[in-house]
Amino acid sequence: MSRIIVKNNGSLSGKVCISGSKNSSLPILAACILTKGKNIISGVPDLSDISTMYSLLESLGVKIDVHKDRVVLDCKNIVHYTTPYELVGKMRGSFLLAGALLSRMGKARISLPGGCPIGTRPVDLHLKGFAAMGADISQGHGYVELSAKKLKGARIYLDFPSVGATENIIMAAALAEGETIIENAAAEPEIVDLTDFLIKQGAKIEGSGSDTIKITGVKELNPTTHKVIPDRIEAGTFIVAFSMTRGYGTIENVNYSHIKPVVAKLSEMGVDIKDNGNNILTINAEHTLRTSDVKTLPFPGFPTDMQAPFTALMSTAKGTGVIVETVFENRFLHIGELNRMGANIRIDGRTSVIEGVNSLSGAKVNAFDLRGGAALVVAGMSAKGETEITGVEHIQRGYENFVEKFAKIGANIVFDKK
Ligand code: UD1
């Protein structure tokens, strides 16, 4: 079983360069199949979730050439419309192919993604959108089958501003007949990155980044080139790591406006963060930090993906902090593990109450999900002694060169591959 072993090595310091966003790359790679030619995407991180998306696209007929600085996706021939369970089961983001595939092929047979440790994560809102656009939908044997000769624009109200549902509906609507309006749409930066890409392909989209998005279907889209935005969650994780070890450092390739809610909370806790322009931030946490109260919300609220790293950070800050998780119903699996490291955290429903302790102590812990796993590694950097983290495959899904980047800023961290 592979492990990450972390030993306390004092404060982190130095410079980190943030990779391209995983959550932007996934829908953008899916959207390539809306065109019949070669799209060139740069900034796509080298991660296992991205490899899964490449395998899915290849299984449909896309020819993919991965270069060091760009990926070329030749979507001339899409010959299949089924995404196999073996791949979809690895990553929920695979469902992002539904809208584009339905649009391109007139049908899509997508394995249902199922639940995951952080919640049941249904796809009802995605399906509601496709149905409103005239798709026939049937389910059986673990697959959902979608078909529509020609999708038609519709007015769609989302009960919750789901990121994935918003992306899927936008992709389906880009080539549909007429106008689609998504109300209560998600406004995450990754949505704006996807629509920027689609607009370059020739799509007509207004209002992206707000809660109402209007898509006017066009006859065809053309291949283009695009660079994905920086990963705001990776940036947040590194800022938390500098803060957790009371260190200081510089983060490059980060869009300040994307991480404002995270910066606001860190400032409340006592971390000094300066926006130096040119996508560069400096962080100084060389003093006592206080806990804060946090509620996760859709963008521009505090991101649920930063909840676990913040829990780790607050566990050694001064005072009592409260975190309310409103986006996913079961995103607290890291808390039992943090308590094994000496944290004092209670859970009551969707709320966790964190009593700051002086320090954590290294222990053997397990990562149950991606961000929870990253939180345990960061916690280990400030804990006394050695922390051994298993379940590292979850972390590899979402962080590029995770161990190498931390080692470069002074962490004592080793990846033990078994
Ligand atoms: C995306 C991100 C994930 C992030 C999440 C919320 C990707 C690949 N993943 O996931 O990192 O944590 O946004 O910012 O971009 N829901 C339904 N029905 C649906 C769809 C969603 O009830 O049809 C619920 C989910 O169970 C969850 C909430 O809505 O409780 C938010 O989910 P959603 O925004 O869809 O997250 P993802 O797109 O899966």
Side-chain angles (χ1 to χ4, degrees):
M1 199 187 302
S2 298
R3 318 172 287 170
I4 290 178
I5 298 161
V6 185
K7 289 183 192 148
N8 187 323
N9 202 24
S11 300
L12 298 180
S13 66
K15 198 163 70 181
V16 190
C17 187
I18 300 305
S19 301
S21 161
K22 164 181 91 76
N23 287 353
S24 259
S25 299
L26 291 172
I28 285 172
L29 292 172
C32 289
I33 66 170
L34 292 169
T35 69
K36 292 182 178 156
K38 284 186 183 170
N39 290 275
I40 302 172
I41 318 293
S42 58
V44 180
D46 181 11
L47 307 168
S48 62
D49 270 9
I50 298 293
S51 309
T52 302
M53 182 55 92
Y54 291 156
S55 303
L56 278 160
L57 288 165
E58 281 171 338
S59 78
L60 302 175
V62 180
K63 290 205 171 67
I64 303 182
D65 271 329
V66 182
H67 302 264
K68 200 162 172 281
D69 59 342
R70 68 194 192 284
V71 190
V72 183
L73 298 104
D74 185 345
C75 303
K76 193 166 162 229
N77 297 311
I78 305 290
V79 286
H80 297 290
Y81 59 89
T82 299
T83 61
Y85 174 71
E86 296 66 41
L87 293 170
V88 175
K90 283 188 184 176
M91 175 182 72
R92 213 191 121 76
S94 314
F95 204 74
L96 288 170
L97 280 163
L101 207 47
L102 176 62
S103 180
R104 168 85 186 247
M105 304 294 278
K107 47 191 172 182
R109 187 168 178 265
I110 313 271
S111 171
L112 281 164
C116 76
I118 65 173
T120 50
R121 300 182 83 175
V123 288
D124 56 318
L125 299 173
H126 304 237
L127 299 182
K128 187 177 148 183
F130 298 144
M133 298 173 75
D136 287 326
I137 301 173
S138 61
Q139 284 186 38
H141 307 289
Y143 280 82
V144 54
E145 306 223 8
L146 308 165
S147 65
K149 273 208 178 81
K150 183 75 190 162
L151 289 167
K152 292 205 167 54
R155 185 174 276 267
I156 298 160
Y157 177 85
L158 294 178
D159 300 333
F160 184 89
S162 154
V163 173
T166 303
E167 291 167 341
N168 244 333
I169 296 168
I170 292 172
M171 287 188 263
L175 289 169
E177 215 173 83
E179 193 176 278
T180 298
I181 293 177
I182 312 174
E183 290 174 307
N184 200 24
E188 268 67 4
E190 293 77 19
I191 305 273
V192 178
D193 203 20
L194 170 67
T195 53
D196 282 349
F197 175 61
L198 290 168
I199 289 167
K200 284 192 208 167
Q201 288 183 332
K204 285 199 178 141
I205 302 172
E206 290 166 48
S208 184
S210 77
D211 62 2
T212 307
I213 304 177
K214 182 168 116 181
I215 307 114
T216 309
V218 293
K219 286 233 154 45
E220 66 168 6
L221 295 174
N222 297 304
T224 188
T225 59
H226 187 74
K227 183 174 181 200
V228 298
I229 56 170
D231 195 308
R232 64 191 168 106
I233 307 302
E234 188 198 5
T237 305
F238 275 97
I239 300 175
V240 165
F242 280 122
S243 307
M244 184 97 209
T245 60
R246 308 299 186 262
Y248 62 93
T250 305
I251 301 203
E252 291 181 349
N253 194 34
V254 51
N255 187 322
Y256 183 72
S257 66
H258 295 171
I259 60 162
K260 262 191 195 158
V262 172
V263 169
K265 280 293 151 192
L266 286 160
S267 303
E268 258 179 55
M269 292 178 72
V271 182
D272 295 326
I273 301 180
K274 225 169 84 195
D275 175 15
N276 294 333
N278 293 327
N279 284 357
I280 298 172
L281 290 187
T282 46
I283 295 109
N284 184 347
E286 294 174 301
H287 26 254
T288 307
L289 302 187
R290 302 172 293 280
T291 54
S292 175
D293 293 332
V294 171
K295 193 183 215 177
T296 67
L297 287 167
F299 193 84
F302 187 91
T304 170
D305 285 352
M306 285 307 298
Q307 182 255 111
F310 254 68
T311 308
L313 178 60
M314 280 209 229
S315 72
T316 61
K318 221 172 155 44
T320 304
V322 173
I323 300 189
V324 185
E325 172 58 66
T326 76
V327 180
F328 289 106
E329 71 268 24
N330 190 26
R331 208 168 195 180
F332 282 146
L333 294 167
H334 48 283
I335 288 180
E337 305 300 287
L338 286 171
N339 283 344
R340 297 193 60 244
M341 296 175 72
N344 181 358
I345 309 172
R346 295 188 309 278
I347 306 173
D348 184 4
R350 287 185 168 213
T351 301
S352 66
V353 180
I354 304 150
E355 307 278 355
V357 295
N358 285 336
S359 62
L360 299 177
S361 62
K364 289 189 179 184
V365 288
N366 188 51
F368 293 104
D369 64 84
L370 166 56
R371 307 302 172 186
L376 295 174
V377 174
V378 169
M381 288 175 197
S382 80
K384 287 187 181 141
E386 183 177 296
T387 301
E388 182 184 314
I389 300 112
T390 48
V392 296
E393 63 283 0
H394 293 293
I395 301 171
Q396 289 170 318
R397 288 185 46 200
Y399 290 93
E400 185 176 53
N401 298 331
F402 189 69
V403 167
E404 295 77 2
K405 282 188 182 182
F406 272 118
K408 235 180 110 196
I409 52 173
N412 184 334
I413 181 168
V414 177
F415 180 56
D416 179 24
K417 193 166 187 236
K418 289 261 167 70

